[in-house]
Amino acid sequence: MHVLISGGGIGGLTAALAFQKLGHRVTVLEQAHVFEEIGAGLQISPNGMRVFEALGVTARVEKDAFRPRSQELRFGKGGGRILTIPLREASYARWGGEYLHVHRADLAGALAGALRDRQAGAVQLGHRVVSYSQDDAQVSAHLDTGETISGDLLVGADGIHSAIRSQMTGPDTPRYTGHVAWRAVVPVSELGEHAPPESACVWVGSRRHAVTYRLRRGSLANLVAVVETRKAPAESWTATGERAQALRDFRRWSPVVRTILEKAVTLNRWALYDRMPLETWSDGRVVLLGDACHPMLPFLAQGAVMAIEDAYVLARLVTRKETLGAALSAYEAVRKPRTSRVQAGARRNASLFHRGDPISQLATYGPIWLAGHLLPALAHGQYDWIYAHDVTEMPDTAA
């Protein structure tokens, strides 16, 4: 088959590698003219890394990544540690794969490089798909330049503002969650004694939380700091905000968080919106994956990884099933329960991280602290259902 993929993000590039590995020809249509630094950090948990292992790109992905020592839960004010879950060797032992932090631009570059090595000309930059048309024989992607490119299958991996989804299901009405996220990346060398720990660290507090971790082999500090805000800003990944506002949002918080806010050259301010589940993910020869069909709040760090899982499962089912219709139906049936559960878990964490009064904090974090000290195996196993999931080994009916 000739598979067209709208969107050269993490999900789209992974899908291209998976389809190419299984013998198909792929064309990735990406609207950007270059892969830029936009997007900052990603956490790639073992369930995503096993897909990269199956696709033979692990070495490329690991090259500029950082291996955190642990996951941590701490108080934003004071920095007291609530829970620590070991990673590095423990991650492979428990979940069968690495847990990595990687810059989005580095990951996209690694995947695109692998794809170009395997199929010259597969990635077409500066190509924005605005609509599609199809018949029984083929599907055509229509670009903003007026050009049309045709193939056997069109994969909509074009993100939360997907043009493919809009045509397939109609325009959506996103719901503002009441949360705004500050994002920043700062060289660790500029942070001195207030550099973040070598962990995936969640700092919790009243109506707000922050996440810190390191990128590029430990040379960069990544921050995502979320605060509850009544007024809904525009939904934009690249919007910026005022440093004074960010510092007011996290006043009296740990100097680890505040120093990153003070030193950042750019502070992006990202309003978090949620969307209702889609009734269908496909239309004839067109199918969606990743944020285009199940956008995730970032509170489980699984948005990119769910797209990676989607990509592998979709390519495998399209290759194995007798008809394209059967493959796309199976893909939706298999992936919807999994992604819906992760979406729900991310929504729950928004509340878990934002406990305000001391009684609520004691009731919530006290049992977590006790479990970490008295029943560490139980505490460390709370995300087994996510991280131990292996779509590369599971039967097609359960992936």
Side-chain angles (χ1 to χ4, degrees):
M1 295 178 64
H2 181 199
V3 181
L4 309 178
I5 299 171
S6 175
I10 306 309
L13 291 169
T14 304
L17 285 164
F19 276 109
Q20 194 278 333
K21 184 177 178 65
L22 292 171
H24 306 284
R25 182 165 64 95
V26 297
T27 300
V28 177
L29 304 168
E30 166 55 36
Q31 65 178 337
H33 291 273
V34 293
F35 287 117
E36 298 178 311
E37 294 285 289
I38 293 173
L42 293 171
Q43 300 187 52
I44 306 297
S45 50
N47 46 315
M49 289 304 300
R50 281 191 294 274
V51 172
F52 291 150
E53 289 176 12
L55 297 178
V57 296
T58 303
R60 287 180 182 260
V61 172
E62 290 179 341
K63 178 177 176 291
D64 293 310
F66 179 73
R67 297 174 70 219
R69 295 182 182 276
S70 62
Q71 292 175 323
E72 291 186 291
L73 190 66
R74 298 190 183 204
F75 287 109
K77 293 182 178 179
R81 189 179 289 108
I82 302 167
L83 177 68
T84 299
I85 298 175
L87 293 177
R88 292 196 176 171
E89 290 75 17
S91 174
Y92 215 100
R94 184 173 191 103
W95 300 305
E98 294 275 16
Y99 195 114
L100 297 182
H101 297 159
V102 60
H103 198 294
R104 185 182 294 269
D106 294 342
L107 180 55
L111 299 179
L115 182 58
R116 290 188 183 106
D117 288 349
R118 298 172 187 187
Q119 183 190 309
V123 180
Q124 301 292 316
L125 298 176
H127 287 61
R128 183 165 73 92
V129 179
V130 295
S131 64
Y132 65 86
S133 60
Q134 60 182 318
D135 55 31
D136 291 341
Q138 65 178 10
V139 60
S140 296
H142 304 291
L143 308 184
D144 59 347
T145 59
E147 183 182 0
T148 294
I149 300 176
S150 299
D152 300 298
L153 172 67
L154 172 61
V155 179
D158 48 348
I160 199 165
H161 298 295
S162 170
I164 305 300
R165 182 191 66 236
S166 293
Q167 180 175 340
M168 183 184 298
T169 66
D172 64 1
T173 303
R175 180 186 67 87
Y176 176 54
T177 63
H179 298 87
V180 172
W182 294 95
R183 294 185 294 109
V185 178
V186 176
V188 168
S189 61
E190 297 184 10
L191 301 175
E193 63 179 325
H194 300 311
E198 294 185 354
S199 63
C201 187
V202 179
W203 308 77
V204 298
S206 177
R207 300 180 58 235
R208 68 209 68 217
H209 79 278
V211 180
T212 59
Y213 53 92
R214 299 193 184 198
L215 303 170
R216 289 200 175 139
R217 291 181 256 181
S219 66
L220 295 178
N222 186 80
L223 170 71
V224 180
V226 178
V227 61
E228 295 178 20
T229 304
R230 289 184 180 179
K231 186 177 180 181
E235 184 180 24
S236 171
W237 181 256
T238 58
T240 58
E242 296 295 328
R243 190 183 316 277
Q245 179 63 58
L247 291 171
R248 282 196 300 271
D249 286 344
F250 290 89
R251 62 184 177 274
R252 295 195 296 274
W253 266 52
S254 166
V256 171
V257 173
R258 288 183 58 84
T259 304
I260 296 175
L261 294 174
E262 290 167 354
K263 296 288 187 179
V265 173
T266 301
L267 284 171
N268 290 107
R269 191 168 185 259
W270 168 35
L272 301 182
Y273 284 76
D274 208 358
R275 284 163 168 77
M276 295 297 291
L278 297 180
E279 292 186 5
T280 182
W281 290 4
S282 64
D283 170 27
R285 293 178 172 271
V286 185
V287 64
L288 304 172
L289 66 72
D291 282 350
C293 54
H294 51 69
M296 303 259 168
L297 295 175
F299 306 139
L300 268 178
Q302 284 293 302
V305 180
M306 287 300 103
I308 291 165
E309 288 187 0
D310 285 349
Y312 190 90
V313 174
L314 175 62
R316 187 175 67 187
L317 288 171
V318 166
T319 303
R320 290 182 178 180
K321 294 293 184 180
E322 292 184 2
T323 67
L324 184 59
L328 301 188
S329 294
Y331 162 70
E332 185 173 331
V334 166
R335 293 300 298 163
K336 262 188 176 178
R338 167 77 168 163
T339 57
S340 295
R341 187 180 179 191
V342 175
Q343 283 176 307
R347 293 188 188 104
R348 284 194 302 272
N349 272 3
S351 174
L352 174 69
F353 295 159
H354 289 201
R355 299 297 194 223
D357 62 274
I359 293 176
S360 176
Q361 288 188 345
L362 179 62
T364 300
Y365 305 130
I368 295 174
W369 182 89
L370 281 172
H373 285 76
L374 302 179
L375 298 168
L378 178 63
H380 299 172
Q382 62 182 312
Y383 293 132
D384 284 356
W385 65 277
I386 299 178
Y387 301 158
H389 193 86
D390 186 356
V391 297
T392 70
E393 295 291 340
M394 302 183 79
D396 291 342
T397 55

